Short mmCIF file of all heavy atoms in Angstrom, two decimals:
data_model
loop_
_atom_site.label_atom_id
_atom_site.label_comp_id
_atom_site.label_asym_id
_atom_site.label_seq_id
_atom_site.Cartn_x
_atom_site.Cartn_y
_atom_site.Cartn_z
N MET Q 1 124.49 85.95 96.00
CA MET Q 1 124.13 86.52 97.26
C MET Q 1 123.10 87.65 97.13
O MET Q 1 123.16 88.46 96.20
CB MET Q 1 125.49 87.05 97.89
CG MET Q 1 125.29 87.20 99.36
SD MET Q 1 126.91 87.27 100.15
CE MET Q 1 127.26 88.96 99.91
N ASP Q 2 122.16 87.80 98.07
CA ASP Q 2 121.18 88.68 98.02
C ASP Q 2 121.71 90.00 98.58
O ASP Q 2 122.28 90.07 99.74
CB ASP Q 2 119.90 88.36 98.82
CG ASP Q 2 119.26 87.06 98.19
OD1 ASP Q 2 119.33 86.93 97.01
OD2 ASP Q 2 118.89 86.11 99.01
N LYS Q 3 121.43 91.05 97.93
CA LYS Q 3 121.85 92.35 98.54
C LYS Q 3 120.61 92.91 99.27
O LYS Q 3 119.52 92.79 98.90
CB LYS Q 3 122.23 93.24 97.34
CG LYS Q 3 121.69 94.60 97.27
CD LYS Q 3 122.41 95.32 96.13
CE LYS Q 3 121.43 96.32 95.38
NZ LYS Q 3 120.53 97.16 96.23
N GLU Q 4 120.90 93.61 100.26
CA GLU Q 4 119.83 94.16 101.13
C GLU Q 4 119.43 95.46 100.46
O GLU Q 4 120.35 96.23 100.16
CB GLU Q 4 120.29 94.52 102.49
CG GLU Q 4 119.40 93.87 103.51
CD GLU Q 4 119.83 94.12 104.98
OE1 GLU Q 4 120.93 93.67 105.22
OE2 GLU Q 4 118.97 94.67 105.70
N LEU Q 5 118.11 95.70 100.13
CA LEU Q 5 117.71 96.86 99.64
C LEU Q 5 117.83 98.13 100.59
O LEU Q 5 117.51 98.01 101.75
CB LEU Q 5 116.27 96.89 99.15
CG LEU Q 5 115.88 96.23 97.76
CD1 LEU Q 5 114.50 96.59 97.50
CD2 LEU Q 5 116.90 96.74 96.66
N ASP Q 6 118.31 99.22 100.12
CA ASP Q 6 118.45 100.26 101.00
C ASP Q 6 117.09 101.08 101.17
O ASP Q 6 116.98 101.97 102.05
CB ASP Q 6 119.43 101.31 100.45
CG ASP Q 6 120.84 100.78 100.30
OD1 ASP Q 6 121.14 99.86 101.13
OD2 ASP Q 6 121.66 101.20 99.42
N GLU Q 7 116.10 100.59 100.31
CA GLU Q 7 114.77 101.49 100.41
C GLU Q 7 113.92 101.26 101.58
O GLU Q 7 113.02 102.04 101.91
CB GLU Q 7 113.94 101.13 99.14
CG GLU Q 7 114.36 101.80 97.88
CD GLU Q 7 115.55 101.13 97.12
OE1 GLU Q 7 116.10 100.09 97.74
OE2 GLU Q 7 115.94 101.43 96.07
N PHE Q 8 114.27 100.07 102.32
CA PHE Q 8 113.41 99.69 103.39
C PHE Q 8 114.27 99.71 104.77
O PHE Q 8 115.40 99.29 104.68
CB PHE Q 8 112.87 98.32 103.34
CG PHE Q 8 111.94 98.21 102.09
CD1 PHE Q 8 112.24 97.52 100.96
CD2 PHE Q 8 110.71 98.86 102.16
CE1 PHE Q 8 111.40 97.35 99.90
CE2 PHE Q 8 109.86 98.79 101.11
CZ PHE Q 8 110.19 98.04 99.86
N ASP Q 9 113.51 100.02 105.82
CA ASP Q 9 114.09 99.84 107.10
C ASP Q 9 113.17 98.82 107.87
O ASP Q 9 112.03 98.95 107.82
CB ASP Q 9 114.02 101.12 107.92
CG ASP Q 9 115.19 102.05 107.55
OD1 ASP Q 9 116.23 101.63 107.15
OD2 ASP Q 9 114.98 103.32 107.72
N VAL Q 10 113.70 97.76 108.35
CA VAL Q 10 113.03 96.86 109.16
C VAL Q 10 113.38 97.09 110.69
O VAL Q 10 114.52 96.96 111.09
CB VAL Q 10 113.36 95.40 108.75
CG1 VAL Q 10 112.40 94.43 109.53
CG2 VAL Q 10 112.98 95.27 107.29
N ASP Q 11 112.35 97.23 111.47
CA ASP Q 11 112.46 97.31 112.85
C ASP Q 11 112.62 95.90 113.41
O ASP Q 11 111.61 95.13 113.61
CB ASP Q 11 111.25 97.98 113.39
CG ASP Q 11 111.30 98.31 114.92
OD1 ASP Q 11 112.14 97.64 115.50
OD2 ASP Q 11 110.64 99.24 115.36
N ILE Q 12 113.83 95.45 113.43
CA ILE Q 12 114.12 94.09 113.75
C ILE Q 12 113.65 93.61 115.20
O ILE Q 12 112.91 92.50 115.24
CB ILE Q 12 115.61 93.74 113.61
CG1 ILE Q 12 115.95 93.85 111.99
CG2 ILE Q 12 115.96 92.41 114.20
CD1 ILE Q 12 117.34 94.02 111.90
N PRO Q 13 113.71 94.35 116.24
CA PRO Q 13 113.13 93.90 117.54
C PRO Q 13 111.52 93.82 117.41
O PRO Q 13 110.89 93.02 118.13
CB PRO Q 13 113.61 95.01 118.39
CG PRO Q 13 114.66 95.73 117.86
CD PRO Q 13 114.48 95.63 116.36
N ARG Q 14 110.93 94.64 116.62
CA ARG Q 14 109.55 94.59 116.51
C ARG Q 14 108.96 93.43 115.68
O ARG Q 14 107.98 92.85 115.89
CB ARG Q 14 108.89 95.89 115.83
CG ARG Q 14 107.54 96.09 115.93
CD ARG Q 14 107.11 97.27 115.34
NE ARG Q 14 107.31 98.47 116.21
CZ ARG Q 14 106.67 99.63 116.03
NH1 ARG Q 14 105.86 99.76 114.93
NH2 ARG Q 14 106.92 100.60 116.92
N CYS Q 15 109.73 93.05 114.68
CA CYS Q 15 109.39 91.92 113.83
C CYS Q 15 109.22 90.71 114.51
O CYS Q 15 110.13 90.24 115.24
CB CYS Q 15 110.46 91.73 112.66
SG CYS Q 15 110.22 90.29 111.64
N MET Q 16 108.08 89.94 114.34
CA MET Q 16 107.84 88.76 115.16
C MET Q 16 108.02 87.47 114.20
O MET Q 16 107.52 86.39 114.58
CB MET Q 16 106.60 88.72 115.82
CG MET Q 16 105.35 89.02 114.80
SD MET Q 16 103.99 89.41 115.90
CE MET Q 16 102.75 89.48 114.53
N HIS Q 17 108.47 87.59 112.99
CA HIS Q 17 108.88 86.58 112.12
C HIS Q 17 107.76 85.80 111.72
O HIS Q 17 107.76 84.60 111.61
CB HIS Q 17 109.92 85.77 112.69
CG HIS Q 17 111.02 86.54 113.30
ND1 HIS Q 17 111.41 86.51 114.56
CD2 HIS Q 17 111.79 87.47 112.78
CE1 HIS Q 17 112.32 87.35 114.84
NE2 HIS Q 17 112.69 88.09 113.77
N CYS Q 18 106.62 86.50 111.50
CA CYS Q 18 105.34 85.77 111.23
C CYS Q 18 105.44 85.21 109.72
O CYS Q 18 104.53 84.36 109.40
CB CYS Q 18 104.18 86.51 111.45
SG CYS Q 18 104.04 87.95 110.34
N GLY Q 19 106.18 85.95 108.93
CA GLY Q 19 106.30 85.45 107.56
C GLY Q 19 105.17 86.06 106.60
O GLY Q 19 105.18 85.80 105.42
N ALA Q 20 104.29 86.85 107.13
CA ALA Q 20 103.29 87.50 106.34
C ALA Q 20 103.85 88.29 105.21
O ALA Q 20 103.34 88.27 104.12
CB ALA Q 20 102.26 88.34 107.20
N CYS Q 21 104.85 89.05 105.43
CA CYS Q 21 105.41 89.85 104.41
C CYS Q 21 105.94 88.92 103.27
O CYS Q 21 105.91 89.27 102.09
CB CYS Q 21 106.41 90.76 104.93
SG CYS Q 21 107.74 89.99 105.91
N VAL Q 22 106.65 87.98 103.70
CA VAL Q 22 107.30 87.10 102.75
C VAL Q 22 106.10 86.51 101.82
O VAL Q 22 106.32 86.47 100.59
CB VAL Q 22 108.05 85.96 103.46
CG1 VAL Q 22 108.69 84.90 102.48
CG2 VAL Q 22 109.06 86.54 104.35
N GLY Q 23 105.08 85.99 102.35
CA GLY Q 23 104.05 85.48 101.72
C GLY Q 23 103.28 86.46 100.75
O GLY Q 23 102.70 85.99 99.84
N SER Q 24 103.36 87.67 101.20
CA SER Q 24 102.58 88.76 100.41
C SER Q 24 103.32 89.13 99.18
O SER Q 24 102.71 89.86 98.22
CB SER Q 24 102.33 89.84 101.28
OG SER Q 24 103.53 90.73 101.41
N CYS Q 25 104.59 88.95 99.16
CA CYS Q 25 105.42 89.54 98.07
C CYS Q 25 105.18 88.80 96.73
O CYS Q 25 105.40 87.54 96.67
CB CYS Q 25 106.91 89.47 98.35
SG CYS Q 25 107.99 90.20 97.05
N PRO Q 26 104.69 89.52 95.71
CA PRO Q 26 104.35 88.82 94.43
C PRO Q 26 105.65 88.35 93.67
O PRO Q 26 105.49 87.62 92.77
CB PRO Q 26 103.56 90.00 93.65
CG PRO Q 26 104.01 91.18 94.24
CD PRO Q 26 104.44 91.01 95.71
N VAL Q 27 106.79 88.93 94.00
CA VAL Q 27 107.94 88.63 93.15
C VAL Q 27 109.01 87.89 94.07
O VAL Q 27 110.11 87.79 93.67
CB VAL Q 27 108.61 89.84 92.49
CG1 VAL Q 27 107.68 90.45 91.52
CG2 VAL Q 27 108.90 90.98 93.56
N ASN Q 28 108.53 87.47 95.20
CA ASN Q 28 109.51 86.77 96.17
C ASN Q 28 110.74 87.47 96.39
O ASN Q 28 111.85 86.94 96.40
CB ASN Q 28 109.83 85.32 95.60
CG ASN Q 28 108.59 84.45 95.51
OD1 ASN Q 28 107.77 84.48 96.46
ND2 ASN Q 28 108.38 83.74 94.39
N ALA Q 29 110.64 88.77 96.68
CA ALA Q 29 111.78 89.46 96.86
C ALA Q 29 112.19 89.69 98.43
O ALA Q 29 113.21 90.23 98.72
CB ALA Q 29 111.62 91.08 96.34
N ILE Q 30 111.39 88.98 99.24
CA ILE Q 30 111.76 89.02 100.71
C ILE Q 30 112.26 87.63 101.17
O ILE Q 30 111.47 86.62 100.81
CB ILE Q 30 110.46 89.44 101.56
CG1 ILE Q 30 109.91 90.61 100.98
CG2 ILE Q 30 110.90 89.68 103.07
CD1 ILE Q 30 108.59 91.17 101.78
N TYR Q 31 113.15 87.67 102.00
CA TYR Q 31 113.66 86.35 102.56
C TYR Q 31 113.85 86.69 104.06
O TYR Q 31 114.20 87.76 104.45
CB TYR Q 31 115.03 86.04 102.13
CG TYR Q 31 115.11 85.74 100.62
CD1 TYR Q 31 115.26 86.75 99.75
CD2 TYR Q 31 114.94 84.48 100.16
CE1 TYR Q 31 115.20 86.49 98.39
CE2 TYR Q 31 114.85 84.14 98.85
CZ TYR Q 31 115.16 85.20 97.91
OH TYR Q 31 115.05 85.00 96.56
N LEU Q 32 113.42 85.53 104.82
CA LEU Q 32 113.71 85.71 106.29
C LEU Q 32 114.97 84.95 106.43
O LEU Q 32 115.09 83.71 106.26
CB LEU Q 32 112.58 85.07 106.98
CG LEU Q 32 112.31 85.48 108.45
CD1 LEU Q 32 112.45 87.01 108.63
CD2 LEU Q 32 111.02 85.07 108.90
N ASN Q 33 116.12 85.73 106.70
CA ASN Q 33 117.36 84.99 106.94
C ASN Q 33 117.56 85.02 108.43
O ASN Q 33 118.02 85.98 108.97
CB ASN Q 33 118.45 85.99 106.27
CG ASN Q 33 119.77 85.41 106.33
OD1 ASN Q 33 120.01 84.22 106.87
ND2 ASN Q 33 120.69 86.13 105.82
N GLU Q 34 117.41 83.86 109.03
CA GLU Q 34 117.30 83.68 110.44
C GLU Q 34 116.39 84.62 111.04
O GLU Q 34 115.22 84.54 110.88
CB GLU Q 34 118.72 83.79 111.08
CG GLU Q 34 119.72 82.84 110.51
CD GLU Q 34 119.45 81.41 111.05
OE1 GLU Q 34 118.94 81.19 112.21
OE2 GLU Q 34 119.75 80.52 110.15
N VAL Q 35 116.92 85.73 111.70
CA VAL Q 35 115.93 86.67 112.32
C VAL Q 35 115.88 87.96 111.49
O VAL Q 35 115.11 89.06 111.76
CB VAL Q 35 116.16 87.02 113.70
CG1 VAL Q 35 116.03 85.73 114.57
CG2 VAL Q 35 117.67 87.52 114.04
N VAL Q 36 116.67 88.10 110.38
CA VAL Q 36 116.73 89.31 109.71
C VAL Q 36 116.07 89.26 108.29
O VAL Q 36 116.27 88.21 107.47
CB VAL Q 36 118.29 89.75 109.48
CG1 VAL Q 36 118.31 91.04 108.74
CG2 VAL Q 36 118.96 89.83 110.76
N LEU Q 37 115.19 90.25 108.06
CA LEU Q 37 114.48 90.21 106.77
C LEU Q 37 115.41 90.80 105.71
O LEU Q 37 116.00 91.84 105.95
CB LEU Q 37 113.23 91.04 106.77
CG LEU Q 37 111.98 90.45 107.30
CD1 LEU Q 37 110.83 91.48 107.22
CD2 LEU Q 37 111.53 89.22 106.55
N GLU Q 38 115.55 90.13 104.51
CA GLU Q 38 116.30 90.65 103.58
C GLU Q 38 115.40 90.85 102.27
O GLU Q 38 114.52 89.98 101.98
CB GLU Q 38 117.59 89.77 103.22
CG GLU Q 38 118.47 89.98 104.44
CD GLU Q 38 119.72 89.13 104.13
OE1 GLU Q 38 119.90 88.44 103.14
OE2 GLU Q 38 120.60 89.27 104.98
N PHE Q 39 115.72 91.85 101.58
CA PHE Q 39 115.04 92.11 100.28
C PHE Q 39 115.92 92.00 99.08
O PHE Q 39 117.28 92.42 99.26
CB PHE Q 39 114.43 93.61 100.25
CG PHE Q 39 113.59 93.79 101.38
CD1 PHE Q 39 113.99 94.22 102.66
CD2 PHE Q 39 112.27 93.74 101.19
CE1 PHE Q 39 113.02 94.38 103.64
CE2 PHE Q 39 111.31 93.87 102.29
CZ PHE Q 39 111.76 94.22 103.51
N ASN Q 40 115.57 91.62 97.92
CA ASN Q 40 116.56 91.51 96.77
C ASN Q 40 116.03 92.47 95.70
O ASN Q 40 114.97 93.27 95.86
CB ASN Q 40 116.70 90.05 96.32
CG ASN Q 40 115.52 89.53 95.58
OD1 ASN Q 40 114.67 90.26 95.15
ND2 ASN Q 40 115.47 88.26 95.59
N ASP Q 41 116.83 92.57 94.62
CA ASP Q 41 116.56 93.45 93.60
C ASP Q 41 115.25 93.28 92.82
O ASP Q 41 114.88 94.04 92.06
CB ASP Q 41 117.80 93.32 92.59
CG ASP Q 41 118.94 94.03 93.08
OD1 ASP Q 41 118.89 94.74 94.11
OD2 ASP Q 41 120.04 93.72 92.60
N ASP Q 42 114.57 92.04 93.03
CA ASP Q 42 113.34 91.86 92.30
C ASP Q 42 112.33 92.87 92.84
O ASP Q 42 111.21 92.87 92.19
CB ASP Q 42 112.93 90.40 92.49
CG ASP Q 42 113.83 89.44 91.68
OD1 ASP Q 42 114.52 89.95 90.76
OD2 ASP Q 42 113.94 88.32 91.99
N CYS Q 43 112.47 93.42 93.89
CA CYS Q 43 111.44 94.17 94.55
C CYS Q 43 110.98 95.25 93.59
O CYS Q 43 111.82 96.05 93.02
CB CYS Q 43 112.03 94.79 95.78
SG CYS Q 43 110.86 96.03 96.55
N THR Q 44 109.63 95.47 93.49
CA THR Q 44 109.00 96.50 92.59
C THR Q 44 108.47 97.66 93.41
O THR Q 44 107.84 98.40 92.84
CB THR Q 44 107.97 95.79 91.82
OG1 THR Q 44 106.96 95.25 92.65
CG2 THR Q 44 108.52 94.67 90.91
N MET Q 45 108.76 97.57 94.65
CA MET Q 45 108.29 98.74 95.56
C MET Q 45 106.74 98.83 95.51
O MET Q 45 106.12 99.91 95.51
CB MET Q 45 108.77 100.07 95.06
CG MET Q 45 110.31 100.23 95.23
SD MET Q 45 111.00 99.91 96.85
CE MET Q 45 110.52 101.59 97.56
N CYS Q 46 106.06 97.65 95.44
CA CYS Q 46 104.57 97.52 95.40
C CYS Q 46 104.01 97.84 96.83
O CYS Q 46 102.79 98.27 96.94
CB CYS Q 46 104.16 96.25 94.91
SG CYS Q 46 104.27 94.91 96.10
N MET Q 47 104.79 97.82 97.87
CA MET Q 47 104.33 98.17 99.21
C MET Q 47 103.49 97.17 99.88
O MET Q 47 102.91 97.33 101.00
CB MET Q 47 103.71 99.54 99.36
CG MET Q 47 104.41 100.59 98.69
SD MET Q 47 106.07 100.80 99.49
CE MET Q 47 107.09 101.41 98.18
N ARG Q 48 103.26 96.02 99.25
CA ARG Q 48 102.37 95.00 99.79
C ARG Q 48 102.86 94.48 101.19
O ARG Q 48 102.20 94.34 102.08
CB ARG Q 48 102.25 93.81 98.85
CG ARG Q 48 101.06 93.83 98.04
CD ARG Q 48 101.05 92.66 97.05
NE ARG Q 48 100.86 93.29 95.82
CZ ARG Q 48 100.40 92.64 94.80
NH1 ARG Q 48 100.10 91.29 94.87
NH2 ARG Q 48 100.26 93.13 93.59
N CYS Q 49 104.18 94.30 101.23
CA CYS Q 49 104.86 93.77 102.47
C CYS Q 49 104.68 94.73 103.68
O CYS Q 49 104.28 94.43 104.80
CB CYS Q 49 106.30 93.43 102.30
SG CYS Q 49 107.23 94.79 101.70
N ILE Q 50 104.80 96.11 103.35
CA ILE Q 50 104.50 97.07 104.36
C ILE Q 50 103.08 97.05 104.85
O ILE Q 50 102.88 97.03 106.09
CB ILE Q 50 104.92 98.47 103.82
CG1 ILE Q 50 106.49 98.43 103.45
CG2 ILE Q 50 104.45 99.48 104.81
CD1 ILE Q 50 106.84 99.68 102.73
N LYS Q 51 102.18 96.87 103.96
CA LYS Q 51 100.72 96.93 104.35
C LYS Q 51 100.38 95.74 105.08
O LYS Q 51 99.47 95.70 105.99
CB LYS Q 51 99.89 97.01 103.10
CG LYS Q 51 99.87 98.44 102.45
CD LYS Q 51 98.81 98.64 101.38
CE LYS Q 51 99.12 99.76 100.55
NZ LYS Q 51 99.09 99.48 99.09
N VAL Q 52 101.00 94.63 104.81
CA VAL Q 52 100.51 93.32 105.46
C VAL Q 52 101.06 93.08 106.73
O VAL Q 52 100.60 92.33 107.53
CB VAL Q 52 100.81 92.16 104.41
CG1 VAL Q 52 102.24 91.73 104.52
CG2 VAL Q 52 99.77 90.96 104.62
N CYS Q 53 102.11 93.81 107.09
CA CYS Q 53 102.85 93.59 108.39
C CYS Q 53 101.96 93.96 109.62
O CYS Q 53 101.54 95.12 109.65
CB CYS Q 53 104.12 94.29 108.51
SG CYS Q 53 104.98 93.97 109.94
N PRO Q 54 101.66 92.98 110.41
CA PRO Q 54 100.62 93.33 111.49
C PRO Q 54 101.30 94.07 112.62
O PRO Q 54 100.53 94.68 113.47
CB PRO Q 54 100.39 91.82 112.15
CG PRO Q 54 101.49 91.02 111.68
CD PRO Q 54 102.02 91.52 110.39
N VAL Q 55 102.59 94.31 112.61
CA VAL Q 55 103.15 95.21 113.63
C VAL Q 55 103.85 96.39 113.08
O VAL Q 55 104.58 97.11 113.84
CB VAL Q 55 104.17 94.34 114.61
CG1 VAL Q 55 103.39 93.39 115.40
CG2 VAL Q 55 105.31 93.68 113.78
N GLY Q 56 103.66 96.60 111.81
CA GLY Q 56 104.23 97.80 111.17
C GLY Q 56 105.79 97.83 111.17
O GLY Q 56 106.38 98.99 111.50
N ALA Q 57 106.36 96.67 111.06
CA ALA Q 57 107.92 96.66 111.31
C ALA Q 57 108.64 97.03 109.92
O ALA Q 57 109.87 97.36 110.16
CB ALA Q 57 108.26 95.20 111.67
N ILE Q 58 107.99 97.14 108.81
CA ILE Q 58 108.76 97.59 107.63
C ILE Q 58 108.29 98.97 107.29
O ILE Q 58 107.14 99.38 107.25
CB ILE Q 58 108.30 96.63 106.50
CG1 ILE Q 58 108.48 95.18 106.86
CG2 ILE Q 58 109.20 97.01 105.25
CD1 ILE Q 58 108.11 94.19 105.75
N LYS Q 59 109.31 99.76 107.19
CA LYS Q 59 109.11 101.19 106.86
C LYS Q 59 109.98 101.59 105.52
O LYS Q 59 110.97 100.96 105.29
CB LYS Q 59 109.61 102.04 107.89
CG LYS Q 59 108.86 101.78 109.22
CD LYS Q 59 108.04 103.02 109.63
CE LYS Q 59 107.46 102.87 111.08
NZ LYS Q 59 106.42 101.86 111.28
N ILE Q 60 109.55 102.55 104.86
CA ILE Q 60 110.34 103.14 103.75
C ILE Q 60 111.47 103.81 104.53
O ILE Q 60 111.26 104.58 105.38
CB ILE Q 60 109.63 104.07 102.94
CG1 ILE Q 60 108.43 103.52 102.43
CG2 ILE Q 60 110.40 104.75 101.88
CD1 ILE Q 60 108.53 102.60 101.29
N ALA Q 61 112.75 103.61 104.03
CA ALA Q 61 113.85 104.23 104.63
C ALA Q 61 113.68 105.76 104.70
O ALA Q 61 113.23 106.45 103.61
CB ALA Q 61 115.11 103.84 103.87
N GLY Q 62 113.85 106.34 105.75
CA GLY Q 62 113.78 107.79 106.06
C GLY Q 62 112.50 108.17 106.54
O GLY Q 62 112.31 109.34 106.99
N GLU Q 63 111.36 107.41 106.38
CA GLU Q 63 110.18 107.74 106.98
C GLU Q 63 110.03 107.29 108.43
O GLU Q 63 110.76 106.48 108.89
CB GLU Q 63 109.03 107.04 106.23
CG GLU Q 63 108.78 107.68 105.02
CD GLU Q 63 107.43 107.19 104.35
OE1 GLU Q 63 106.79 106.22 104.85
OE2 GLU Q 63 107.01 107.60 103.18
N LYS Q 64 109.30 108.12 109.24
CA LYS Q 64 109.13 107.70 110.59
C LYS Q 64 107.75 107.03 110.83
O LYS Q 64 106.87 107.46 110.17
CB LYS Q 64 109.21 108.96 111.54
CG LYS Q 64 110.67 109.52 111.53
CD LYS Q 64 111.58 108.70 112.53
CE LYS Q 64 112.95 109.14 112.61
NZ LYS Q 64 114.00 108.32 111.90
S1 SF4 B 101 107.41 96.21 98.25
FE1 SF4 B 101 106.38 94.53 97.17
S2 SF4 B 101 107.96 93.64 95.75
FE2 SF4 B 101 109.05 94.79 97.29
S3 SF4 B 101 109.54 93.33 98.85
FE3 SF4 B 101 107.56 94.33 99.47
S4 SF4 B 101 105.95 92.99 98.67
FE4 SF4 B 101 107.86 92.48 97.68
S1 SF4 B 102 105.05 90.71 108.33
FE1 SF4 B 102 106.05 92.13 109.82
S2 SF4 B 102 106.27 90.80 111.68
FE2 SF4 B 102 105.87 89.49 110.04
S3 SF4 B 102 107.76 88.68 109.29
FE3 SF4 B 102 107.36 90.52 108.04
S4 SF4 B 102 108.25 92.27 109.03
FE4 SF4 B 102 108.28 90.57 110.49
#
């Protein structure tokens, strides 16, 4: 089972499920689970997914 990483906050209502973040991840650490994005332990915190999101739906936890 994939554990959700605590390092990211995903603005679920804002996410339009385009899949860009999933495709951008070099280690396949992102999954689109129905409408909820999940991250797994393979994440290296490279921030590619954050940069590629067209609506800025992924944030580092604690940042505004
Ligand atoms: S930060 Fe990098 S490694 Fe982690 S989920 Fe995003 S694209 Fe993948
Ligand atoms: S790139 Fe952004 S809008 Fe697209 S699926 Fe990922 S979080 Fe959602």
Side-chain angles (χ1 to χ4, degrees):
M1 203 161 80
D2 299 322
K3 131 177 144 43
E4 233 179 303
L5 276 196
D6 295 332
E7 282 87 349
F8 298 109
D9 282 332
V10 180
D11 188 338
I12 292 165
R14 186 179 286 194
C15 171
M16 54 191 188
H17 316 117
C18 67
C21 56
V22 177
S24 77
C25 182
V27 294
N28 298 316
I30 313 181
Y31 298 84
L32 205 47
N33 182 2
E34 299 292 331
V35 295
V36 180
L37 276 183
E38 291 186 354
F39 300 85
N40 72 22
D41 286 340
D42 292 339
C43 173
T44 59
M45 300 295 287
C46 73
M47 308 300 150
R48 265 177 233 206
C49 55
I50 293 174
K51 288 190 193 134
V52 83
C53 179
V55 294
I58 309 176
K59 302 247 190 289
I60 306 285
E63 281 189 358
K64 290 277 177 254

